[in-house]
Amino acid sequence: LEILSGFALYSLAISGISALDADTVWVSINYISTGYAPFGLSYDAKVWRTDDGGASWSMKLHTTFPPHINEIYAVDDQVAWAAGGSKFSYPYPAIFVTSNGGSTWDYRYLDFFGNPKYRMLDVWGADAVNGWAVYGQVATPDGGVKRTCDGPNL
């Protein structure tokens, strides 16, 4: 999907979706813009939410660092987790969690064995403090799965 806005051309990629029911849906979208940033490219990611089956959407998270959200998982209408980062998101990928419907987010940039090339691939949460994240690139020292009992602190 490409959108022309002003002098910038935006490419959009839906990277994750989590539906609680027919009305409440969370979506993560990655944007690539050509035109305003140095070297002609900029990257950012947003999490959007609808509570009326898609009739209207509200932005709940906007991040340019890391520039990608790879997955979104909603536990309920208040708690959602997002896995962020790409192999280009130096220094490290990140994990995000909200416990108030997306009004605010706790996050943590992750240092996987000093290797900035790992990226968060998937995330799942039982509640606002207990969750699992999958990360990797090609091979990881611990199988690429991390568990937290302390929110975004893996």
Side-chain angles (χ1 to χ4, degrees), residues 1 16 21-23 31 48 51 62-63 68 70 77 79 83 86 88 90 92-94 104 111 117 134 146:
L1 177 61
D21 54 41
D23 291 325
Y31 297 76
W48 295 84
D51 292 309
H62 178 207
T63 180
H68 294 85
N70 299 323
D77 66 337
V79 177
S86 72
F88 306 110
Y90 183 82
Y92 303 107
T104 60
D111 179 357
K117 299 279 186 189
V134 177
K146 291 280 190 186

Side-chain angles (χ1 to χ4, degrees), residues 58-123:
S58 60
M59 185 174 47
K60 297 298 180 178
L61 174 65
H62 178 207
T63 180
T64 57
F65 194 83
H68 294 85
I69 298 291
N70 299 323
E71 189 60 69
I72 184 82
Y73 178 79
V75 176
D76 56 35
D77 66 337
Q78 295 297 304
V79 177
W81 292 74
S86 72
K87 65 181 180 179
F88 306 110
S89 64
Y90 183 82
Y92 303 107
I95 191 165
F96 301 84
V97 63
T98 182
S99 60
N100 56 18
S103 296
T104 60
W105 294 78
D106 292 324
Y107 65 92
R108 181 164 185 113
Y109 295 112
L110 306 170
D111 179 357
F112 291 119
F113 316 106
N115 188 339
K117 299 279 186 189
Y118 292 128
R119 61 183 178 263
M120 300 301 296
L121 301 173
D122 203 354
V123 67

